[in-house]
Amino acid sequence: MSTTNENKVSSGTPEQTPPGDGLQAGLKNRHLSMIAIGGVIGAGLFVGSSSGIAKAGPGILLSYALVGAMVVLVMRMLGEMSAANPTSGSFSAHADRALGRWAGFSIGWLYWFFWVVVLAIEATAGAVILEGWIPAVPQWAWALIVMVVLTATNLVSVSSYGEFEFWFAGIKVVAIAAFIVIGGLAVFGVLPGADTDTAGLSNLTEHGGFLPNGPGAILTGVLLVVFSFMGSEIVTLAAGETSNPQKAVTKATNSVIWRIAVFYLGSIFVVVSLVPWNDDSVTEKGSYVAALDSLGIAHAGQIMNFIVLTSVLSCLNSGLYTASRMAFSLGERGDAPKSFARTTSSGVPMAAVLASVVFGFVAVFFNYAFPDTVFLFLVNSSGAVALFVWLVICFSQLRLRKIIQREAPEKLVVRMWLYPYLTWATAALILFVLGYMLTDTEGASSGRTTVLLSVLVAVGVVAVAVVRERTGSASGAAKDQKDQRNDDTVARL
């Protein structure tokens, strides 16, 4: 029996029963643990942190701490709802129940759109690294190979996805843990054989102070790092395919604080302590490569390329899984083609996987054929979806808490702290970040462009959802009236 169906709580909408066996509990505890850890360590941490450090200096630590706190609070809300009702649709299904069909439809499709665009971005990033190692194979061919291999992995079974993700995420975790330990020893001058003359806590306050570009740079840093946190919510989608979804969600939710503290704040602290923030190598080589170079570690660039590649493959693997499970959930609820809700004998929603990867391939094509027009539009118009998702989670939790308390209070095994005050405060912070993005007007992918295009796409999706809902209601009312007339006719006869 489908794990999703076992845990489904009625949302007041008709259930769509797929003709297949449904999703199956194919993920083991070790798979989910690594998915939870790996979900917060995106490739953006390795390749995107240098621009944040260049803008905010050591104060980038406050930017990461601010966004990290926001993610912890959002995950706490999501954990509360998902522990009470584990489902493959996660926040989309919760929004469906709490805010209405239009909300579940809209945020589900926006999230799916976000991940199929990410597939193209990550496939291209991986292809660039692989072409550098084996130039005989063209970049587009590497992108194709990577996409095909991971598609095949996702089509076999959920356990094959979990196994690949376990090893991909494991490499990331081991690498970043080793970096923190080795770098930490160097910062305090106890790393044997390392030249650590330029390393030390003094780098946090010298070179212009802790906030060399002023307090406003913290918010600028927030805009640069916020999107590297996207993926934390994947564990709540994957929990629906474990033997004990409630326990899995609870464990993942409770561990998110230390995961963010160690992997984000810990590693960035080591970077800005090892190398002066204004050192040219930070922007030229990348922050982590510059830090490794400062310790005299040979082939630092290639080591980091390997780690980034595993992060890219991990993101691709999870992105395809996440997009397909969201499409499956939409199909189950009647918000996508019914074929998306059909599964194979091994519990894989094949149509949902193939549809997601086809759009991913189309996006990859646009990246090579029209990088500065069509693909740039896709990237910008999906860029703020992460913040939209977090905002919807806030509003869903505000309403769903009351519903759960009224209908099944025993299911509140995870509770949001200081409800409803922290929920409202988190929503206000997300809205503030979106508003602050409007002040960023630099470049083709400026914050203003990203927000405006993302809002434009979101409005279009919401409009479709509202029209569908009203049309469906009108059709339902007409059908009821027709049935009533038929009943009256039968009664007269």
Side-chain angles (χ1 to χ4, degrees):
M1 181 178 288
S2 165
T3 304
T4 303
N5 292 339
E6 285 177 351
N7 295 286
K8 181 173 285 186
V9 177
S10 174
S11 62
T13 59
E15 284 191 20
Q16 302 291 326
T17 305
D21 296 327
L23 300 180
Q24 297 178 5
L27 292 175
K28 300 176 182 178
N29 287 335
R30 65 183 178 88
H31 292 154
L32 203 73
S33 296
M34 202 56 75
I35 290 170
I37 295 173
V40 299
I41 311 174
L45 173 63
F46 300 108
V47 299
S49 56
S50 56
S51 57
I53 293 172
K55 290 284 186 181
I60 194 66
L61 285 167
L62 297 180
S63 303
Y64 274 103
L66 186 62
V67 178
M70 187 164 66
V71 172
V72 166
L73 294 172
V74 169
M75 283 297 295
R76 187 73 184 183
M77 298 175 220
L78 184 55
E80 175 182 294
M81 296 184 289
S82 296
N85 180 28
T87 170
S88 62
S90 187
F91 51 83
S92 173
H94 304 323
D96 192 307
R97 188 182 183 204
L99 305 176
R101 289 291 297 278
W102 68 271
F105 175 95
S106 302
I107 204 63
W109 278 114
L110 284 172
Y111 192 68
W112 179 87
F113 172 56
F114 170 84
W115 279 110
V116 294
V117 174
V118 167
L119 292 181
I121 296 172
E122 300 296 340
T124 304
V128 169
I129 295 173
L130 289 167
E131 186 190 31
W133 291 343
I134 309 177
V137 179
Q139 194 179 114
W140 65 267
W142 277 123
L144 179 66
I145 292 169
V146 166
M147 290 279 278
V148 168
V149 169
L150 292 180
T151 299
T153 300
N154 275 266
L155 285 174
V156 174
S157 67
V158 67
S159 60
S160 64
Y161 154 73
E163 200 63 35
F164 267 72
E165 187 58 19
F166 176 81
W167 291 106
F168 286 152
I171 292 172
K172 287 193 296 185
V173 170
V174 170
I176 202 166
F179 174 81
I180 292 172
V181 171
I182 294 172
L185 292 174
V187 168
F188 294 101
V190 292
L191 182 66
D195 181 12
T196 57
D197 291 341
T198 60
L201 297 179
S202 59
N203 282 328
L204 298 176
T205 53
E206 293 180 357
H207 315 290
F210 186 71
L211 294 171
N213 296 323
I218 297 173
L219 293 177
T220 304
V222 165
L223 302 187
L224 294 170
V225 307
V226 66
F227 302 108
S228 64
F229 282 83
M230 191 65 171
S232 305
E233 68 290 331
I234 292 175
V235 67
T236 62
L237 281 86
E241 293 178 79
T242 62
S243 57
N244 191 338
Q246 188 180 76
K247 181 180 178 181
V249 168
T250 303
K251 182 179 178 181
T253 303
N254 290 334
S255 64
V256 70
I257 297 176
W258 73 259
R259 286 187 273 124
I260 288 176
V262 171
F263 295 115
Y264 275 87
L265 294 179
S267 63
I268 293 298
F269 169 80
V270 168
V271 168
V272 294
S273 297
L274 285 177
V275 185
W277 71 271
N278 55 355
D279 192 298
D280 291 339
S281 63
V282 172
T283 52
E284 291 173 359
K285 300 178 181 179
S287 54
Y288 286 82
V289 174
L292 291 174
D293 272 344
S294 73
L295 299 178
I297 295 178
H299 310 294
Q302 291 304 319
I303 292 172
M304 191 52 58
N305 273 341
F306 175 73
I307 296 170
V308 170
L309 179 62
T310 60
S311 295
V312 165
L313 295 177
S314 171
C315 190
L316 259 174
N317 195 36
S318 289
L320 184 52
Y321 169 83
T322 304
S324 65
R325 278 4 180 227
M326 185 57 73
F328 168 84
S329 178
L330 289 166
E332 232 187 0
R333 287 177 275 146
D335 291 334
K338 290 182 180 180
S339 60
F340 285 9
R342 298 191 185 104
T343 57
T344 64
S345 58
S346 56
V348 175
M350 181 178 291
V353 172
L354 292 177
S356 300
V357 81
V358 163
F359 278 91
F361 276 125
V362 170
V364 169
F365 168 74
F366 285 144
N367 192 13
Y368 285 105
F370 312 103
D372 299 322
T373 52
V374 180
F375 188 71
L376 186 62
F377 170 80
L378 292 177
V379 172
N380 287 335
S381 60
S382 65
V385 167
L387 294 169
F388 295 166
V389 167
W390 296 346
L391 199 58
V392 166
I393 289 172
C394 292
F395 291 130
S396 297
Q397 190 265 339
L398 284 169
R399 295 198 64 181
L400 205 54
R401 163 69 80 91
K402 297 176 182 178
I403 296 173
I404 299 171
Q405 282 180 322
R406 183 175 65 250
E407 297 179 359
E410 71 279 0
K411 291 187 175 182
L412 281 172
V413 293
V414 176
R415 290 175 179 264
M416 176 59 184
W417 306 298
L418 296 177
Y419 169 84
Y421 307 109
L422 265 183
T423 303
W424 281 112
T426 306
L429 181 58
I430 295 169
L431 287 170
F432 174 78
V433 172
L434 284 168
Y436 191 77
M437 287 178 70
L438 293 174
T439 65
D440 175 28
T441 58
E442 294 182 12
S445 295
S446 66
R448 177 178 293 180
T449 301
T450 298
V451 170
L452 292 179
L453 288 179
S454 296
V455 168
L456 177 65
V457 171
V459 168
V461 175
V462 170
V464 172
V466 171
V467 170
R468 284 183 77 259
E469 191 167 359
R470 290 184 177 178
T471 304
S473 299
S475 300
K479 184 178 182 298
D480 291 341
Q481 290 174 0
K482 182 179 180 181
D483 291 343
Q484 183 62 46
R485 286 195 300 270
N486 290 337
D487 290 343
D488 291 343
T489 301
V490 171
R492 285 197 300 271
L493 292 173

